[in-house]
Amino acid sequence: MATERTLSIIKPDATARNLTGQINAKFEEAGLRIVAQKRIRLTKDQAGEFYAVHSERPFYDELCEFMASAPVVVQVLEGENAIAKNREVMGATNPADAAPGTIRAEFAQSVGENSVHGSDAPETAAQEIAYFFSGLELVG
Ligand code: CMP
């Protein structure tokens, strides 16, 4: 198995409810190491650039508004098969479908306000990490 890095975002619905620590505990309990982390406030334009792949979807405007509505915590998680492991810990996009014990089952409020984002493949992980972090900020 390969050691990977993936980009994680703790979303506005979760930072607003002071859930950063509880969500980080889920990552660490699963063996994922937080090797970079910062709390930032995205503009709607920055959120739109990050989620450009969804620009044709009907929920795109709502998604960008939401991501700019309060601070987010952007993070790099590292570990064996970190991309798939993180997606397992997050649970399904829609909390109604998320397995018990996952972050979205426990904390998400709706398919839009679903508490966390995680990269879905190695190529997107590399792009998404580079969107938020410079090499100097990745200390391992
Ligand atoms: P995320 O994993 O960050 O990737 C894209 C996001 O779009 C997703 O989580 C949800 O927050 C959001 N999303 C997906 N489907 C819908 C939907 N039907 N309505 C609103 N938001 C959605």
Side-chain angles (χ1 to χ4, degrees), residues 11 51 54 59 62-63 93 104 111-112 114 116-118:
K11 295 186 179 184
Y51 278 119
H54 295 303
F59 57 79
E62 179 190 333
L63 172 62
T93 303
R104 285 169 171 158
V111 66
N114 63 354
V116 279
H117 166 82

Side-chain angles (χ1 to χ4, degrees), residues 6-9 11 51 83 86-87 90 104 116-121 128:
T6 189
L7 191 277
S8 166
I9 305 177
K11 295 186 179 184
Y51 278 119
I83 297 166
N86 182 37
R87 294 180 72 77
M90 289 192 299
R104 285 169 171 158
V116 279
H117 166 82
S119 308
D120 63 3
E128 291 179 1

Side-chain angles (χ1 to χ4, degrees), residues 10-20 23 66 107 115-116:
I10 301 178
K11 295 186 179 184
D13 67 286
T15 63
R17 287 176 291 148
N18 223 16
L19 294 171
T20 300
I23 290 173
F66 166 61
F107 302 124
S115 301
V116 279

Side-chain angles (χ1 to χ4, degrees), residues 1 18 32 39 42 44 48 55 73 79 85 92 122 133:
M1 282 196 285
N18 223 16
L32 292 164
R39 182 176 170 102
L42 291 173
K44 191 177 171 186
S55 61
V73 175
K85 172 80 65 71
F133 294 96

Side-chain angles (χ1 to χ4, degrees), residues 75-136:
Q75 327 172 281
V76 179
L77 307 179
E78 183 181 88
E80 294 293 318
N81 285 328
I83 297 166
K85 172 80 65 71
N86 182 37
R87 294 180 72 77
E88 198 180 304
V89 174
M90 289 192 299
T93 303
N94 187 338
D97 302 325
T102 60
I103 292 168
R104 285 169 171 158
E106 289 196 13
F107 302 124
Q109 299 185 301
S110 66
V111 66
E113 302 198 6
N114 63 354
S115 301
V116 279
H117 166 82
S119 308
D120 63 3
E123 301 72 32
T124 44
Q127 285 165 11
E128 291 179 1
I129 289 169
Y131 187 77
F132 288 113
F133 294 96
S134 75
L136 283 174

